[in-house]
Amino acid sequence: MDSEDDSPLGYDAFRRTCPSHTVLEMLASKWVYLTVCALRRGRLRNGELARKMEGITPKMLTQTLRVLERDGLVRREVFPVIPPRVEYELTELGQNLAGLLSQIRSWAEEHAPEIKEARGRASADHDEMAAS
Amino acid sequence: MDSEDDSPLGYDAFRRTCPSHTVLEMLASKWVYLTVCALRRGRLRNGELARKMEGITPKMLTQTLRVLERDGLVRREVFPVIPPRVEYELTELGQNLAGLLSQIRSWAEEHAPEIKEARGRASADHDEMAAS
């Protein structure tokens, strides 16, 4: 192990039993990325989130919001009106994470053309090998 | 849609058909995070990577390295010795991503105690509701 890699707090995401490893696991979800990015500008209702994230199923959205709420990244507020209105917003910790995840999202958007090209080359190489 | 959210290149990770969405999907893996972080300091062999990432199966490691190679983030070099030696290193694009993913890893290590606490509270609330 490289000592420079060590966290000053003694946490090490490379160790499966380290709590930070389970935090990485939680973050390893495109819906977590997108939900946190979507809430960055302010609170949204369930339906607004669903419309923003193309392709998310109601079940996946509920599951993602529950995980984010459980981990203290998102706060859920229920307004006692009829029908009840439920809104979600980032906590301070969630806002802190949102800055980083937005950079990942921007990186994905900025480098998508390069990666698409690399994928095209890889698949052409594969076809060539299969044909020879 | 919020126009400030738009990427200057017209890419939008919220759209399922956008190439950047599939880049986010590729990034949404704890093994991708950890492999890229592990290679940040220089090239490593398969066995060295496997030892660094506690809990990764040989199959998952191979799969992760193939995806990273396909997407142009990792370069694989085979040395014609007996037995053959295979080494992996980050490409320039991979190095660029590694800076960001290391920040995510540091964030996970730094905030693991807070998140652990939030999880504890959530599970206590859940037990209380179940008991009442």
Side-chain angles (χ1 to χ4, degrees), chain A residues 91-109:
Chain A
T91 60
E92 205 179 317
L93 185 63
Q95 281 288 357
N96 181 295
L97 177 66
L100 264 184
L101 295 192
S102 290
Q103 283 183 57
I104 296 270
R105 186 190 145 203
S106 300
W107 190 92
E109 291 175 351

Side-chain angles (χ1 to χ4, degrees), chain A:
Chain A
M1 286 287 148
D2 198 319
S3 67
E4 270 185 77
D5 258 353
D6 287 348
S7 150
L9 301 155
Y11 285 96
D12 179 1
F14 283 107
R15 290 204 330 262
R16 197 173 23 166
T17 51
C18 179
S20 66
H21 188 92
T22 67
V23 174
L24 268 198
E25 270 172 343
M26 177 272 290
L27 293 178
S29 148
K30 69 170 178 181
W31 297 125
V32 163
Y33 284 170
L34 292 174
T35 303
V36 170
C37 288
L39 289 171
R40 206 180 168 199
R41 302 299 173 75
R43 42 172 64 216
L44 290 173
R45 299 196 207 184
N46 211 303
E48 292 169 319
L49 279 167
R51 273 191 298 282
K52 204 160 166 61
M53 287 185 281
E54 206 183 277
I56 196 166
T57 61
K59 197 181 154 187
M60 274 310 299
L61 179 57
T62 303
Q63 212 168 302
T64 304
L65 287 166
R66 271 201 201 140
V67 165
L68 291 171
E69 210 190 331
R70 177 202 68 188
D71 286 1
L73 299 161
V74 158
R75 195 178 299 113
R76 179 173 177 270
E77 198 169 352
V78 184
F79 296 89
V81 291
I82 298 167
R85 200 170 85 226
V86 183
E87 289 184 355
Y88 296 90
E89 67 177 345
L90 294 178
T91 60
E92 205 179 317
L93 185 63
Q95 281 288 357
N96 181 295
L97 177 66
L100 264 184
L101 295 192
S102 290
Q103 283 183 57
I104 296 270
R105 186 190 145 203
S106 300
W107 190 92
E109 291 175 351
E110 196 180 323
H111 295 282
E114 261 168 281
I115 291 176
K116 209 177 145 190
E117 216 182 281
R119 285 180 185 172
R121 271 198 307 273
S123 115
D125 286 353
H126 185 266
D127 292 350
E128 210 168 279
M129 272 168 64
S132 66

